[in-house]
Amino acid sequence: LKKSSNLLISNIVTKETYAGISSRIKLSEVATIRKGFKGTRTAFYELETDSNESGYCILTSSDINDGTINYESLTNILDGKKYDKYLLNDGDVVLTNKSSKVKIAVVHTEDKKIIATGSMLIITPKKDLLNSIYLKMFFESTKGRRILNKIQKGSITNTLTIEDLEKIYISCPDMEVQKAKVENYKQLQIEYDSIKKQMESLQLEIQKVFEEF
């Protein structure tokens, strides 16, 4: 296949890409998108500190796992005022960039001044039109992943661009429908986490049995 501006023919979004997605609307109509600081953690090396007095900390892709942010692992820095334009708002949805699999998480700032790094893409939903958790759920669904895979560029390192994200369509029903789906998801997540903890506890008990030999 011939390449044009580093875009493969297989990466072109077609009508088939959106098959089965209801209540479609262009993402740019219900959210704004910006990019985080392009540097990685090494750019903040001299500012790193064990103290959280300044309130500033940085978010890297390694801090995001299984769709959640590990706030305990965020690196504190002495002063990040000059990076204020990269600060995350409560409820922002972040997507990691330049990776084979896009990590997605909803931000809860909890009075922290969190700076997005590594050129993360930051989506700020319009609160009266789009629920942050609903958007995350959509992107993590089979249909959402299909869209993200289609707009990723690069043959070695896959990247997402603001321009491409702004053009995609997402499922965006009425807020009441979104909230109902989110509440159902939260309840199922609570049950899943409970079962997971039980499984981990049982695994430890099994290990103890083996250690008795």
Side-chain angles (χ1 to χ4, degrees), residues 4 22 24 49 71 84 105 115 118 126 140 152 180 213:
S4 176
S22 59
R24 293 199 299 265
T49 176
Y71 293 94
D84 275 358
I115 301 167
K126 295 178 181 178
E140 290 181 334
Q152 281 186 306
F213 287 101

Side-chain angles (χ1 to χ4, degrees), residues 166-206:
E166 287 177 335
K167 294 175 184 176
I168 68 169
Y169 287 81
I170 63 167
S171 171
C172 187
D174 292 340
M175 285 298 289
E176 290 305 313
V177 175
Q178 294 182 44
K179 289 177 181 178
K181 200 172 189 72
V182 167
E183 287 306 313
N184 184 42
Y185 165 77
K186 286 181 177 179
Q187 186 58 46
L188 290 173
Q189 190 66 51
I190 289 172
E191 295 176 19
Y192 172 81
D193 290 341
S194 177
I195 294 172
K196 185 178 179 182
K197 286 180 180 179
Q198 292 179 42
M199 292 293 290
E200 291 172 349
S201 179
L202 287 171
Q203 187 63 44
L204 288 174
E205 292 300 318
I206 292 172

